[in-house]
Amino acid sequence: MASDAELIGCSLAGDREAFVGVIVRHEAAIGAYLVRRVGREAAEDMLSEVWLAAFTSRNSYDRSFPDARPWLFGVARNMLRRHWRSVPPEDSRSDVAELGAAWDPWTVVENGLDTHAMLRSALMRLRPSEREVLFLVAWEDLSVVDAARVLGIPSGSAYRHLHQARLELRSSPGMEELMSGLDLIKESK
């Protein structure tokens, strides 16, 4: 099976179907990333813009990286930035203002805790750079190095942002108990 870099190279050489292979591989991940940040309706509109922008700028892709997923997240992130700049302030909402209704992995909900509000509050206390690295690693399942590629920062900075985010989450009221069994705030060894 050809790598993403090979498919992009074939696309640049004139193979009209090669880039479709990249889209097929990563459409679900990029679509989910957009949905978590702007909601389903806006994400559906934005996804086609992401593919068009990626196709148009595919000659800038560094083909020394076989996996294009971090690059595609970067393209999607740029689309999100344009989107958020175009939204009037009164209509904007934080990227963590609404966690998915189906996303509720904690058994403590049964004890009456408002975990969504607690998590939302803890996440909002993070610096945007810390929150974005955390989301890319935890939600998008990227490595810290790939998250750094998406954000265009050195990998050491991404590791530092993730470490700071984990420390902040641990110190947030009620979060340690809430997150005790999850990998979200555990330090990787």
Side-chain angles (χ1 to χ4, degrees), residues 161-177:
H161 292 316
L162 183 60
H163 177 74
Q164 289 302 119
R166 288 171 169 160
L167 288 176
E168 179 64 33
L169 286 177
R170 279 191 194 117
S171 67
S172 293
M175 286 301 293
E176 188 170 344
E177 177 185 334

Side-chain angles (χ1 to χ4, degrees), residues 106-160:
W106 303 290
T107 57
V108 283
V109 172
E110 297 167 2
N111 297 332
L113 291 175
D114 186 0
T115 57
H116 285 223
M118 190 181 301
L119 180 58
R120 187 178 318 114
S121 174
L123 290 170
M124 290 308 297
R125 280 196 288 274
L126 298 176
R127 290 187 199 110
S129 57
E130 295 167 352
R131 190 171 45 240
E132 192 63 27
V133 171
L134 179 70
F135 287 173
L136 289 169
V137 171
W139 281 352
E140 310 311 336
D141 200 28
L142 291 177
S143 69
V144 178
V145 172
D146 285 343
R149 281 182 53 209
V150 170
L151 300 172
I153 61 175
S155 58
S157 295
Y159 277 104
R160 183 176 46 79

Side-chain angles (χ1 to χ4, degrees), residues 55-75:
F55 181 78
T56 305
S57 65
R58 71 193 187 284
N59 62 337
S60 69
Y61 179 70
D62 181 352
R63 288 185 271 160
S64 67
F65 294 102
D67 182 11
R69 196 165 66 125
W71 174 69
L72 292 168
F73 275 115
V75 172

